[in-house]
Amino acid sequence: MIDLHTHSNRSDGTLSPAELTARAAAAGVDVLALTDHDSTAGLEEAARAGKPLGVRLVPGVEISASWRSQAIHVLGLWIDPESALLRRALEAQADRRRLRLDKICAHLAAIGLPGAQIKAASQSAEGLPTRSHVAQALVKLGHAKSIEDAFRRYLGRGRAAAIAADWPALGEVVGWIRGAGGCAALAHPMRYALSSGARRGLLEDFKESGGSAIEVVTGGNAAHHIDACAALALRYGLCATVGSDFHDPERAWNPLGRLAKLPDCVIPAWKNHGV
Ligand code: AMP
Ligand code: MN
Ligand code: MN
Ligand code: MN
């Protein structure tokens, strides 16, 4: 079984890279990509843990980009994590994340919440801060009932602390991934708040800038989304990937590796990679 989109605690997942790999093995996944947000810090540990379990680790990352002022996620798969270009780029992404955390907490403080306390509770011991960490801190400190509630009240679209990070342009991010020898795959294409016309524009620009694949099957995706993504893959000449976007065993609706089959009409991205 193949799962090419997962998170560890090096970004906003709850399991360590080794725990994630063991859980993937137990779920029958034998080709696993670890794709932490803007970080490759967990890849070595995951690869090492995977070897004796028969899990082949695909070195990956999920990079935040912007397109027409929308945050877009691009998966870099089969990347060389040692690429100097990519390493420099991910350091800059980490700086952007830290800066955004400061801004988010300042906005929360401005509406009367304890900004400094929330910032301290949002720092991740193992990896980069994400909005998920802020949401967890808001829950822990009693300002939200759940992660979803924290996004709904404070962090999501149009809310007081919805801070657009200054992510680099989509084409630039695709360039980093290609520069590191990787395959750039557009993550969860149906999750962006875009009209279908705008979505086609996104795919067109993605292909134009060197994107190679699109995530056709993603965790919790409805069947009609799979069909829509397969149609986009065919229309723009892109390969297809599958990934759960697993973060946390507690989110039982989004398990590792339990993914729908790719439609026969699309070309799997792993065909070029000996899988
Ligand atoms: P960031 O990359 O820092 O903007 O954080 C984005 C992450 O927050 C995503 O990868 C999801 O894991 C999580 N997230 C975003 N929106 C929601 C939501 N409405 N409910 C729960 N988690 C969310
Ligand atoms: Mn996430
Ligand atoms: Mn994502
Ligand atoms: Mn993800």
Side-chain angles (χ1 to χ4, degrees):
M1 212 183 318
I2 298 175
D3 191 334
L4 297 179
H5 185 165
T6 66
H7 295 274
S8 76
N9 63 7
R10 298 308 187 264
S11 63
D12 58 351
T14 54
L15 304 180
S16 70
E19 288 165 344
L20 172 80
T21 309
R23 197 175 175 92
V29 175
D30 53 356
V31 180
L32 172 76
L34 173 60
T35 54
D36 275 315
H37 295 288
D38 301 303
S39 172
T40 55
L43 295 178
E44 224 178 273
E45 179 182 319
R48 209 176 325 118
K51 261 200 191 114
L53 300 172
V55 176
R56 262 165 79 178
L57 187 85
V58 174
V61 64
E62 180 174 20
I63 306 183
S64 309
S66 74
W67 180 79
R68 294 192 195 166
S69 65
Q70 259 273 345
I72 300 292
H73 288 174
V74 186
L75 297 170
L77 299 169
W78 295 282
I79 50 162
D80 171 12
E82 299 305 319
S83 152
L85 171 77
L86 183 65
R87 287 172 74 125
R88 253 195 326 271
L90 294 183
E91 274 167 34
Q93 291 289 82
D95 287 341
R96 290 185 180 98
R97 285 192 168 277
R98 289 187 274 262
L99 190 66
R100 184 171 62 150
L101 177 63
D102 289 345
K103 287 190 191 163
I104 289 174
C105 294
H107 276 70
L108 291 171
I111 56 165
L113 270 63
Q117 210 185 342
I118 294 165
K119 184 178 164 187
S122 303
Q123 305 284 356
S124 159
E126 297 89 4
L128 290 181
T130 70
R131 284 185 303 162
S132 301
H133 293 96
V134 183
Q136 277 156 29
L138 286 164
V139 175
K140 195 170 118 195
L141 297 170
H143 302 290
K145 289 199 273 297
S146 65
I147 305 277
E148 284 72 21
D149 188 43
F151 273 92
R152 212 161 32 235
R153 281 180 196 231
Y154 303 111
L155 302 171
R157 248 171 189 281
R159 297 295 155 191
I163 307 302
D166 189 16
W167 300 127
L170 180 66
E172 193 180 336
V173 168
V174 171
W176 299 341
I177 293 168
R178 290 180 62 107
C183 159
L186 185 71
H188 41 66
M190 305 310 280
R191 218 182 286 163
Y192 310 114
L194 296 172
S195 68
S196 31
R199 201 180 316 277
R200 285 195 295 275
L202 167 64
L203 266 295
E204 208 168 302
D205 289 354
F206 179 68
K207 171 74 180 182
E208 184 103 330
S209 61
S212 326
I214 159 174
E215 195 171 57
V216 169
V217 175
T218 95
N221 222 358
H224 68 278
H225 282 177
I226 297 176
D227 294 342
C229 290
L232 288 170
L234 293 177
R235 180 172 179 144
Y236 295 100
L238 295 162
C239 292
T241 69
V242 302
S244 61
D245 203 5
F246 173 88
H247 284 75
D248 180 354
E250 298 285 307
R251 296 193 210 169
W253 63 92
N254 191 17
L256 278 162
R258 203 191 305 147
L259 287 157
K261 194 179 156 292
L262 265 187
D264 289 332
C265 58
V266 295
I267 303 168
W270 54 86
K271 282 281 176 268
N272 306 325
H273 296 273
V275 176

